[in-house]
């Protein structure tokens, strides 16, 4: 059933849980690199820089806090990718998990795709809560019995055991990408998926690992003429022939696979002309799109660039229908952000279940929500200081100039090492997962508790 | 003038980032390299257009030919991190070269061109547009012990006419990947 939550920013958000190490000294392998709910929201997967995947499962009920419906506990942990070495190019291939995407559930097991820069893997996560007992030829501990001691025949029975969750790699999709993979997206046909790198997009069948179809190729004949790269790509949520890809130039192309085998010619090109008064050395960098996401209803898509979130109506190509400023106060700081590399940060964005609210991260462990219906926005903070169970988060405010009010924080005091790049929204409920550098925060709304 | 200073700084920072990205785990990132080169191109264009307008006036005072004044200039440069430092050193040395070339083109009547020291004998094409930008690192950035730094490190290798030094290096950023 689909819960009808009250308006996004009338909601009060409260703390539910935080996962990860407490100490400030962050091990690089623990840096969270992707967060994704499955299609029911029961499972929440994270990937990290060390190549590990951790899956959390929603608890049915917590006796101490019955209104806490967003308690997630570790369900499975496994090493998805290992560091590799490309001998031909003398390059190390990072094990960092760039993206995780869940497949819709077909049977008792769960399946997800996880990818690093070069290789995509299909993982099967299955539960085992029974084991066979009463073998004829083997002892309990697995040793073989002396055949002479066997005098009768019996049928082994399945007896209950402690729940064991196993993750096994079912498919490995390798050697199809020359450049670094930035996106994977499962098609609504549940049979195919796409993977995108800087210059190419490939279409795979989930069953077939030794070949893929190249559907987009923007590599110029002469690399010196390279002007843009692919930054993100996604299949339409219900039209299996349609997908989009965004570019470093701030454009989004919508492609129809029925039109031709190679979708270099887009069906639609979404682009907003640049405001000439905002031109600077860094205009190109900040217009590069870091994430693109279709709305659940398939009528809109959202893009994230360095300073803003834009909502596009798929029927209108020449400008977005809504633009939300995430942290406009950084526009005057672009030179410093270039020097400290923050300007290259790739923020993601996400929709809530009924497409009424969108969310994205910022610096100082702030994250922002924009309520589309009521034209309201809120800034919240993920911090261990606000981490008592069901503690309500207080809206935060950045002071952009002039006199700083109490409780406001000035732009120069923001901690640019504390960035929230990855956020996820439960598909059916007002539960959100927000990843700081190495911690995962889970929040829920208070009112529908 | 401020824009020019900013452009120069951005160029120095960009080059140090490019060098750093070569040693990054996972190899050169195409997207990042592209963005860096775009910023460098903008900064270079600003830098060149502002240098063209101010060069005739500034040629004389901008002549740090002796080592003592050069050392002075180097220490005055801002040092945000250790990496740009060699870049800045090269920048100063290269600005010497470009200024000296400008001097030559302004016409030296008394100098014996036959016996000019190697640092002033450059096979680079004269003219402001192709003057070595002072943000480019010299070989000092990768100096081995005992190695000498040359005044025009890349000029002698060039065979293409009509391309400035910076155009060459920016376009080569991507194919090197």
């Amino acid at each position: 059933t689909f819960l009808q939550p009250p308006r996004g920013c009338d909601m009060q958000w409260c703390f539910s849980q935080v996962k990860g190490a407490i100490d400030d000294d962050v091990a690089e392998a623990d840096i969270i690199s992707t967060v994704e709910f499955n299609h029911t929201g029961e499972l929440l997967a994270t990937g990290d820089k060390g190549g590990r995947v951790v899956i959390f499962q929603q608890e049915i009920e917590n006796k101490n806090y019955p209104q806490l419906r967003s308690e997630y506990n570790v369900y499975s942990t496994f090493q998805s990718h290992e560091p590799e070495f490309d001998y031909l190019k003398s390059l190390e291939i990072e094990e960092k998990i760039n993206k995780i995407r869940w497949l819709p559930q077909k049977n008792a097991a769960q399946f997800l795709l996880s990818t690093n820069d070069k290789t995509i893997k299909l993982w099967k996560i299955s539960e085992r809560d029974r084991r066979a007992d009463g073998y004829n030829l083997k002892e309990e501990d697995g040793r073989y019995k002396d055949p002479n001691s066997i005098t009768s025949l019996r049928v082994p029975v399945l007896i209950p055991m402690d729940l064991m969750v196993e993750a096994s790699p079912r498919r490995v999709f390798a050697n199809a990408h020359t450049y670094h993979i930035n996106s994977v997206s499962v098609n609504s046909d549940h049979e195919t998926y796409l993977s995108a790198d800087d210059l190419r997009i490939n279409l795979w069948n989930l069953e077939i690992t030794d070949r893929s179809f190249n559907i987009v190729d923007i590599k110029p004949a002469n690399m010196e003429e390279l002007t843009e790269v692919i930054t993100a790509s996604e299949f339409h949520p219900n039209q299996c022939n349609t997908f989009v890809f965004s570019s470093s130039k701030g454009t989004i192309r919508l492609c129809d696979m029925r039109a031709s085998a190679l979708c270099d010619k887009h069906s639609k090109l979404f682009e907003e002309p640049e405001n000439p008064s905002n031109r600077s050395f860094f205009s190109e960098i900040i217009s590069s799109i870091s994430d693109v996401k279709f709305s659940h209803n398939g009528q809109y898509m959202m893009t994230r660039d360095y300073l803003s979130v834009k909502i596009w109506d798929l029927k209108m190509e020449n400008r977005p229908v809504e633009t939300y400023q995430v942290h406009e106060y950084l526009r005057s700081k672009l030179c410093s952000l270039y020097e400290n590399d923050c300007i290259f940060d790739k923020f993601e964005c996400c929709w809530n279940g009924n497409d009424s609210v969108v969310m994205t991260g910022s610096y100082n462990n702030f994250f922002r929500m924009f309520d589309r219906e009521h034209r309201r926005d809120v800034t919240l903070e993920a911090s261990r200081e606000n981490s008592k169970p069901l503690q309500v988060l207080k809206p935060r405010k950045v002071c952009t100039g002039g006199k700083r009010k109490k409780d406001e924080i000035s732009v120069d005091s923001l901690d640019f090492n504390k960035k929230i790049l990855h956020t996820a929204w439960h598909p059916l409920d007002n539960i959100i997962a927000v990843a700081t550098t190495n911690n995962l925060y889970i929040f829920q709304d208070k009112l529908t508790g | 003038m401020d824009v020019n200073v900013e452009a120069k700084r951005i160029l120095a920072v960009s080059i140090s980032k490019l060098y750093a990205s070569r040693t990054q785990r996972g190899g050169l990132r195409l997207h990042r390299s592209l963005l860096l080169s775009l910023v460098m191109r903008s900064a270079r264009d600003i830098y060149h257009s502002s240098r063209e307008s101010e060069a005739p006036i500034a040629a004389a005072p901008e002549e740090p030919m002796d080592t003592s004044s050069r050392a002075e200039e180097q220490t005055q440069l801002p040092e945000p991190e250790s990496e740009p430092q060699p870049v800045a050193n090269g920048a100063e040395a290269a600005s010497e070269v470009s200024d000296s070339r400008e001097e030559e083109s302004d016409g030296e009547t008394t100098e014996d061109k036959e016996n000019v020291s190697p640092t002033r004998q450059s096979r680079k094409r004269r003219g402001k547009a192709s003057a070595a930008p002072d943000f480019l690192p010299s070989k000092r950035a990768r100096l081995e012990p005992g190695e000498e730094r040359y005044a025009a490190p890349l000029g002698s290798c060039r065979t293409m006419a009509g391309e400035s030094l910076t155009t060459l290096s920016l376009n080569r950023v991507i194919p090197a990947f």
Side-chain angles (χ1 to χ4, degrees), chain A residues 15 49 80 112 121 180 183 240 269 295 341 375 421:
Chain A
F15 173 85
K49 234 181 161 194
S80 172
L112 60 80
K121 294 187 185 181
H180 296 105
S183 311
C240 58
L269 174 67
S295 62
D341 261 6
R375 296 283 154 169
L421 303 175

Side-chain angles (χ1 to χ4, degrees), chain A residues 28 49 83-84 91-96 98 117 178-180 198-199 222-224 226-231 248 279-282 284-285 288-289 335 338-341 344 346, chain B residues 3 6-7 9-11 13-15 17 22 24-44 46-47 80-81 163 171-172 174-175 177:
Chain A
E28 189 155 332
K49 234 181 161 194
E84 285 174 60
L91 279 179
E92 205 181 347
I93 300 169
E94 276 193 280
E95 66 276 29
K96 173 167 77 87
N98 292 335
D117 283 338
T178 308
Y179 301 96
H180 296 105
D198 293 314
L199 297 179
N222 183 358
M223 279 296 269
E224 288 184 25
L226 182 75
T227 56
E228 67 182 324
V229 297
I230 298 168
T231 53
S248 54
R279 185 111 191 97
S280 76
F281 285 116
F282 310 104
E284 278 118 342
I285 300 189
S288 178
I289 291 173
C335 196
Y338 180 70
E339 288 180 35
N340 67 13
D341 261 6
F344 297 102
K346 295 189 180 158
Chain B
V3 178
E6 198 193 3
R9 179 170 179 71
I10 288 170
L11 280 160
V13 167
S14 304
I15 285 166
K17 285 186 191 298
R22 290 182 181 190
Q24 232 174 10
R25 269 192 89 207
L28 271 178
R29 303 241 151 219
L30 189 64
H31 186 194
R32 184 184 165 89
S33 305
L34 177 67
L35 294 177
L36 283 174
S37 69
L38 290 172
V39 170
M40 284 167 66
R41 204 166 288 174
S42 306
R44 178 204 63 182
I46 304 282
Y47 180 76
E81 60 205 12
E163 269 197 44
N171 287 344
R172 286 281 176 266
I174 307 297
F177 180 65

Side-chain angles (χ1 to χ4, degrees), chain A residues 145-327:
Chain A
K145 284 182 181 169
D146 171 15
N148 298 322
S149 68
I150 300 168
T151 54
S152 61
L153 198 63
R154 59 184 173 166
V155 177
V157 290
L158 293 174
I159 59 166
M161 61 178 252
D162 286 340
L163 177 67
M164 199 166 73
V165 181
E166 300 172 317
S168 59
R170 304 304 286 176
R171 305 273 187 277
V172 177
F173 304 91
N175 303 320
H177 286 280
T178 308
Y179 301 96
H180 296 105
I181 296 173
N182 52 57
S183 311
V184 288
S185 177
V186 183
N187 202 346
S188 52
D189 66 8
H190 301 170
E191 286 182 6
T192 57
Y193 76 95
L194 63 77
S195 58
D197 67 29
D198 293 314
L199 297 179
R200 299 192 177 101
I201 302 179
N202 293 330
L203 180 71
W204 302 83
N205 183 301
L206 284 161
E207 301 293 329
I208 299 168
T209 60
D210 63 353
R211 76 196 81 156
S212 65
F213 289 100
N214 177 243
I215 52 176
V216 173
D217 188 340
I218 64 167
K219 183 177 178 183
N222 183 358
M223 279 296 269
E224 288 184 25
E225 290 160 10
L226 182 75
T227 56
E228 67 182 324
V229 297
I230 298 168
T231 53
S233 182
E234 196 179 49
F235 265 118
H236 191 277
N238 43 54
Q239 290 168 21
C240 58
N241 52 288
T242 305
F243 66 95
V244 292
F245 67 93
S246 60
S247 85
S248 54
K249 271 190 174 170
T251 63
I252 310 100
R253 287 172 172 77
L254 184 139
C255 301
D256 186 336
M257 294 195 291
R258 299 170 301 188
S260 70
L262 192 59
C263 297
D264 278 358
K265 286 194 180 56
H266 50 264
S267 300
K268 293 195 186 191
L269 174 67
F270 298 83
E271 188 174 15
E272 183 178 31
E274 191 197 348
N275 182 348
S277 64
N278 280 335
R279 185 111 191 97
S280 76
F281 285 116
F282 310 104
S283 296
E284 278 118 342
I285 300 189
I286 64 169
S287 65
S288 178
I289 291 173
S290 50
D291 195 15
V292 63
K293 292 263 172 45
F294 278 104
S295 62
H296 291 91
N297 62 20
Q299 291 167 18
Y300 299 93
M301 64 179 174
M302 164 167 54
T303 57
R304 175 70 155 100
D305 51 69
Y306 190 64
L307 296 178
S308 68
V309 161
K310 294 179 183 175
I311 312 282
W312 303 78
D313 185 325
L314 294 186
K315 303 186 214 70
M316 189 162 75
E317 298 168 65
N318 59 357
R319 58 177 173 82
V321 289
E322 293 151 41
T323 300
Y324 300 105
Q325 301 302 334
V326 181
H327 36 220

Side-chain angles (χ1 to χ4, degrees), chain A residues 59-97:
Chain A
E59 288 307 315
I60 315 288
E61 199 197 337
N62 180 319
K63 300 281 187 297
N64 294 329
Y65 296 98
Q67 70 272 40
L68 183 74
R69 63 192 190 282
S70 57
E71 183 180 341
Y72 282 80
N73 294 317
V74 176
Y75 179 66
S76 174
T77 303
F78 56 93
Q79 187 76 32
S80 172
H81 286 72
E82 298 275 5
E84 285 174 60
F85 198 79
D86 180 335
Y87 296 98
L88 275 179
K89 293 184 190 160
S90 289
L91 279 179
E92 205 181 347
I93 300 169
E94 276 193 280
E95 66 276 29
K96 173 167 77 87
I97 307 297

